[in-house]
Amino acid sequence: MMMALSLNSCTAQKELQTTVYETSESGHALKKITTFSASENPVIISLNPDEKFQTITGFGGSFTESSAHLLNQLSKANRKKVLDAYFSKAGADYSLTRTHINSCDFSLKHYAYAMVDGDKNLENFSIAEDKDDIIPMILEAKSISKDGFNIIASPWTAPPWMKDNKSWIGGKLLPEYNDSWALYYSKYIDAYKKEGIDIWGLTVINEPHGNGNNWESMLFSPEEMTLFVQNHLGPTLAAHGKSEVKILGYDQNRAGLQEWVDAMYKDEKTSKYFAGTAIHWYESTYDYFADALQYAHKKSPNKYLIQTEACVDSEIPHWNDDAWYWKKEATDWGWDWASEKDKHLHPKYAPVNRYATDIIGCLNNWVDGWVDWNMVLDRQGGPNWFKNWCTAPVIVDVQKDEVYLTPLYYTMAHFSKFMRPGAVKIGCTLQNKDLMATAVKNPDGSIAIAIFNPTETIQSIQINLNHQKKNISINAKALQTVLIQP
């Protein structure tokens, strides 16, 4: 039998002091909860701050030309509303972000910063394409963010003239342009710095396996990427005084992770310039590939392991329809195109479930950063030159100058707002196979616990920490963050 329980009721002398925020199918949107239900058999969550795992790098989303182009079309008030929602202390307070070098599918057209064929020294290099949209978006976000945020930059392809197929799509980098392409990253970092933007890290290429030859891409094998970093990119950045810029290898789905980290971290020479590994989630809508993540960590325990891209793909966003984001109605690319042996990895799914499950699963398996894809898209799921429609946490209608913060926005905020850079993942055990939980200890000494309840029933929870406890509950189909102050 359930009964009402007030957060402020005095139950025991050693009761933990907590603040609870919840996002739920029932309508809560990062709402502070002060009244709970209790039962005689609560789910036990036990915390152990002495059991320490990875240090958190951050959480956030991506600056794309599509997102920046849309923000340029909103009123100043709504543009600020969106950027405040993502970067202010009152909002999600994003701390780790990504952007693209050259164009990508979420660009308005193909472009690169050096389009003169044979310009090996990149004398015509220019980031003019970014000065009307991406750069102003980043600078405004910087002006809003109190703590600042780091940026990972990723190219989808080199300019076509550097590639064996002379195309934006597919093909490989010609060996005679290895040094030119390495120089390209360095010039990009310098150009952005001149605009007042520091680049924290790079991935070598987005999705080196390609994307089915659909939009911008450039192919590498694990060995080819490792040799390029070892012999060209790493030494070039070092020679140009950019050794502090983090180079992340791979940058594609987790199922293929083992062969990449085996090549990258084969020995001291191959691993010298790699700061870590970047991963995506598109291999499955429900499996976060714990074994692959564990393998990657054990192969390189002192390197970063960062999720750099995720989105609800192959879907046109649902406008002002919170309920859809909690229902198992979404499909991804694999719903139609996955091979028969992999079809089971791509069932219909609830978007909130996919985000919450994956982020918690990643944190429980050594991932230290988690970056969403586009911050803003329109009601079509673009703009996207390839018409590769996707969903973003914030959807806008530029014709009507309207903004919709979807439940995915609040899902991301549960992590980015309360689990800060420098936090340490701590021991967190949960005695229930239907729920998920993870916990970190922040630099200020507070502990943040994320709890996800995808079931149809309310669940009573007992949190145990150092002989102290707290009894709360989590609603059906809900995500909570529980903050324990030091």
Side-chain angles (χ1 to χ4, degrees), residues 227-270:
L227 287 171
F228 173 71
V229 171
Q230 180 181 336
N231 297 326
H232 304 281
L233 181 57
T236 295
L237 293 183
H240 293 178
K242 299 180 176 68
S243 296
E244 78 285 353
V245 177
K246 281 61 176 180
I247 300 174
L248 306 175
Y250 190 37
D251 209 14
Q252 198 156 357
N253 298 330
R254 299 168 205 167
L257 196 48
Q258 181 171 337
E259 65 170 337
W260 284 83
V261 294
D262 279 349
M264 291 162 56
Y265 305 122
K266 181 180 178 180
D267 54 39
E268 189 176 342
K269 287 183 179 179
T270 61

Side-chain angles (χ1 to χ4, degrees), residues 52-56 279 290 293-298 301 303-306 360-369 425:
K52 299 176 181 179
F53 299 89
Q54 73 272 29
T55 299
I56 300 301
I279 50 173
L293 297 176
Q294 290 283 339
Y295 184 92
H297 168 73
K298 289 174 183 175
K303 306 280 189 180
Y304 294 98
L305 183 55
I306 297 177
I360 293 173
C362 279
L363 290 173
N364 288 340
N365 288 280
W366 296 103
V367 173
D368 56 274
K425 167 72 178 69

Side-chain angles (χ1 to χ4, degrees), residues 89-158:
K89 279 291 182 185
D93 203 7
Y94 273 7
S95 56
L96 184 64
T97 65
R98 187 181 186 223
T99 193
H100 50 92
I101 298 173
N102 300 327
S103 63
C104 67
D105 47 328
F106 281 92
S107 296
L108 306 184
K109 64 180 189 301
H110 297 310
Y111 68 84
Y113 306 130
M115 288 301 295
V116 177
D117 194 346
D119 181 16
K120 280 193 168 186
N121 296 324
L122 306 180
E123 293 174 2
N124 296 281
F125 187 94
S126 170
I127 58 166
E129 279 284 353
D130 295 350
K131 290 187 177 182
D132 292 332
D133 38 52
I134 292 177
I135 288 172
M137 182 183 178
I138 295 173
L139 290 175
E140 190 168 344
K142 278 187 65 179
S143 73
I144 291 167
S145 176
K146 183 177 179 181
D147 295 336
F149 52 85
N150 288 326
I151 303 172
I152 298 167
S154 303
W156 268 233
T157 181

Side-chain angles (χ1 to χ4, degrees), residues 5-257:
L5 176 69
S6 170
L7 179 68
N8 298 317
S9 62
C10 233
T11 54
Q13 191 175 4
K14 291 188 176 181
E15 185 178 65
L16 290 167
Q17 296 303 303
T18 61
T19 308
V20 182
Y21 300 89
E22 183 175 274
T23 296
S24 66
E25 185 194 36
S26 62
H28 291 161
L30 210 65
K31 179 180 174 61
K32 187 182 289 187
I33 306 296
T34 57
T35 302
F36 302 95
S37 299
S39 72
E40 293 180 355
N41 297 301
V43 175
I44 306 296
I45 295 179
S46 297
L47 304 176
N48 182 2
D50 294 328
E51 189 179 12
K52 299 176 181 179
F53 299 89
Q54 73 272 29
T55 299
I56 300 301
T57 303
F59 299 89
S62 300
F63 298 100
T64 62
E65 186 182 29
S66 294
S67 293
H69 174 73
L70 291 169
L71 287 182
N72 282 349
Q73 298 177 71
L74 293 177
S75 63
K76 286 186 177 180
N78 273 336
R79 176 187 175 93
K80 188 174 189 305
K81 176 182 177 179
V82 172
L83 291 173
D84 280 348
Y86 276 126
F87 292 99
S88 72
K89 279 291 182 185
D93 203 7
Y94 273 7
S95 56
L96 184 64
T97 65
R98 187 181 186 223
T99 193
H100 50 92
I101 298 173
N102 300 327
S103 63
C104 67
D105 47 328
F106 281 92
S107 296
L108 306 184
K109 64 180 189 301
H110 297 310
Y111 68 84
Y113 306 130
M115 288 301 295
V116 177
D117 194 346
D119 181 16
K120 280 193 168 186
N121 296 324
L122 306 180
E123 293 174 2
N124 296 281
F125 187 94
S126 170
I127 58 166
E129 279 284 353
D130 295 350
K131 290 187 177 182
D132 292 332
D133 38 52
I134 292 177
I135 288 172
M137 182 183 178
I138 295 173
L139 290 175
E140 190 168 344
K142 278 187 65 179
S143 73
I144 291 167
S145 176
K146 183 177 179 181
D147 295 336
F149 52 85
N150 288 326
I151 303 172
I152 298 167
S154 303
W156 268 233
T157 181
W161 57 268
M162 292 188 183
K163 298 166 66 178
D164 58 5
N165 67 350
K166 306 302 179 186
S167 171
W168 294 99
I169 299 163
K172 293 192 173 188
L173 184 68
L174 288 167
E176 59 262 37
Y177 292 118
N178 276 328
D179 289 330
S180 298
W181 182 230
L183 178 63
Y184 204 99
Y185 300 81
S186 181
K187 281 186 168 285
Y188 170 84
I189 294 166
D190 286 340
Y192 261 65
K193 190 172 188 65
K194 190 175 180 181
E195 298 297 322
I197 298 168
D198 290 326
I199 300 301
W200 177 85
L202 301 165
T203 70
V204 183
I205 205 76
N206 176 74
E207 298 183 346
H209 291 306
N211 48 53
N213 286 330
N214 289 314
W215 51 85
E216 288 93 334
S217 59
M218 187 165 75
L219 308 180
F220 282 91
S221 70
E223 291 74 19
E224 287 167 344
M225 181 181 287
T226 299
L227 287 171
F228 173 71
V229 171
Q230 180 181 336
N231 297 326
H232 304 281
L233 181 57
T236 295
L237 293 183
H240 293 178
K242 299 180 176 68
S243 296
E244 78 285 353
V245 177
K246 281 61 176 180
I247 300 174
L248 306 175
Y250 190 37
D251 209 14
Q252 198 156 357
N253 298 330
R254 299 168 205 167
L257 196 48

